Amino acid sequence: MILSPLIRRPWLLALPVTAVVMLAASSMAPTTSGQTAPAASATPAAPTVATIASPAPALENEVAVRMLLPASIRDSVKLPVRKWARADMPDAPGGYVAFIATIYPIYDGQGGSTEWLLTNYLQWNGFQWLPAVADYPGYQLTDPADIFLARNLTDITAVSSPPGQDYRIFTVSYTGDGIVNPTLARTETSLEIYDLTDSTVWSRIITLRETDTSNPGYVLRHAEDVDFSFQLIDSSGLFAIVATVTDTDEVILTGSPAPGGTTLPPAGVTTTKTTEIYKWIDGIYVLQRQAPAGPTTPVADAPAVPVITATPAPAATAPAAAATAMPPRVVGTPAPAVSTSTPVPATATPPANPVPGSTATPRSGPAG
């Protein structure tokens, strides 16, 4: 879910975007001229001190999170978020960037709450930290699947693209694990990619594990995983995302009689693979078509499907490996227009030679 609008939207995570140019704010000391014949009673003026841009100072994690939260909750005694993650980009165009992804609740005073997904960053322009998008509360999650993920978060991890890479992005994964209802348990990880305009470029549920015990006589375990890579598939010169999706269903007979003598499904595992192709259209990667990637392979008496609770950002140059994933679900709506009062880059385009992934150290934190 979750990093710009999350779940239940045709999915889109972050992929190569050509280097964007950000104007760094600068300041010049005013030029002053002394009086040629000052009055005898004049008081000496204080010496003019030139203002000189300085390197970004240390920025504590909690301070960074609070600076981007809505004013109504940022001063709460306890950090009022469910979880947060931070990724730094020291060499970003325009100055050092500290990116924050968080999910926080707004309580109504009657035991209820709304859930909000906020992704934004602070940038040091040489003189002060400024938000990429000013006074931005984030995106309210309204889809039940998004709300489930928000309220059952176990981890948020954010990673920035490696130093020197033209395509500047932040890759964020959100993992949730919980009980949907008395007969359905779910674990999922949703991945999103944001560029320096703070827009979601691509997002998708990349792992999903569900155990359904609502069927008399058998238990159904469902798993979906995705593995993706950047590939040139046409003459546009822009890399597309090619995702291999593996869908696995396992039927486990419980020994209970079928209701009314209904025939039970055969025990075993069925696996189906498909290929999804996302092309760069108007600043995001859009699913264009799906094609079969291989035959369905039933496997009798296969072991239980393992639960995957987190997925790292893709390796910098590693080819796509077989993995499992679900149909694209996008969370939310496009990010708001960037504030014109802060120095942020213009909309970027995917590079001709993207280098996905990062060597940066992921950092994530609990709520307060």
Side-chain angles (χ1 to χ4, degrees):
M1 147 194 122
I2 264 163
L3 278 281
S4 358
L6 266 161
I7 311 184
R8 300 277 184 209
R9 226 175 44 165
W11 267 68
L12 318 159
L13 209 252
L15 295 164
V17 170
T18 297
V20 290
V21 178
M22 207 149 62
L23 298 179
S26 63
S27 173
M28 297 293 293
T31 302
T32 57
S33 332
Q35 299 179 60
T36 55
S41 58
T43 325
T48 300
V49 179
T51 302
I52 301 175
S54 63
L59 181 63
E60 294 184 3
N61 291 330
E62 184 169 329
V63 171
V65 175
R66 288 182 183 275
M67 287 177 69
L68 293 173
L69 289 174
S72 60
I73 63 172
R74 70 169 58 122
D75 294 327
S76 301
V77 175
K78 181 181 178 181
L79 189 61
V81 303
R82 298 202 181 276
K83 286 190 177 294
W84 57 267
R86 171 177 170 176
D88 286 20
M89 190 178 287
D91 64 338
Y96 195 114
V97 160
F99 175 89
I100 298 293
T102 188
I103 294 176
Y104 67 90
I106 293 292
Y107 296 100
D108 59 13
Q110 300 177 345
S113 67
T114 54
E115 304 296 331
W116 293 75
L117 169 66
L118 172 61
T119 59
N120 203 350
Y121 63 80
L122 295 165
Q123 182 161 47
W124 180 256
N125 68 357
F127 306 96
Q128 60 182 325
W129 290 103
L130 295 174
V133 183
D135 301 318
Y136 174 48
Y139 173 82
Q140 182 180 348
L141 303 175
T142 57
D143 186 277
D146 292 345
I147 294 173
F148 166 83
L149 184 53
R151 293 178 178 171
N152 291 275
L153 271 179
T154 58
D155 181 72
I156 301 178
T157 297
V159 179
S160 61
S161 51
Q165 178 175 304
D166 284 344
Y167 184 62
R168 305 301 183 89
I169 57 174
F170 298 99
T171 301
V172 185
S173 64
Y174 307 81
T175 298
D177 183 10
I179 303 300
V180 179
N181 58 50
T183 61
L184 181 63
R186 176 185 297 159
T187 297
E188 66 178 271
T189 296
S190 145
L191 182 67
E192 293 199 346
I193 296 173
Y194 306 85
D195 63 19
L196 284 177
T197 64
D198 206 33
S199 297
T200 307
V201 179
W202 193 70
S203 63
R204 200 188 195 290
I205 299 234
I206 56 170
T207 68
L208 175 68
R209 300 290 182 272
E210 289 188 333
T211 300
D212 182 359
T213 59
S214 65
N215 307 292
Y218 68 97
V219 171
L220 177 62
R221 288 181 176 172
H222 176 72
E224 297 179 56
D225 297 270
V226 64
D227 184 63
F228 66 91
S229 63
F230 297 92
Q231 298 181 27
L232 283 172
I233 61 173
D234 55 30
S235 59
S236 68
L238 300 179
F239 275 69
I241 299 175
V242 179
T244 300
V245 180
T246 304
D247 188 324
T248 304
D249 287 294
E250 179 185 18
V251 175
I252 303 170
L253 299 181
T254 63
S256 302
T262 303
T263 302
L264 295 174
V269 177
T270 300
T271 300
T272 304
K273 288 189 177 182
T274 57
T275 298
E276 297 175 355
I277 297 177
Y278 298 82
K279 289 188 176 181
W280 181 264
I281 298 175
D282 296 332
I284 60 175
Y285 279 94
V286 179
L287 179 62
Q288 294 296 288
R289 66 178 183 273
Q290 293 179 288
T296 298
T297 308
V299 181
D301 301 322
V305 178
V307 173
I308 296 178
T309 56
T311 299
T317 57
T324 30
M326 73 180 284
R329 280 197 316 185
V330 175
V331 272
T333 56
V338 174
S339 167
T340 56
S341 63
T342 54
V344 295
T347 301
T349 55
N353 184 23
V355 183
S358 171
T359 56
T361 302
R363 282 162 288 183
S364 62

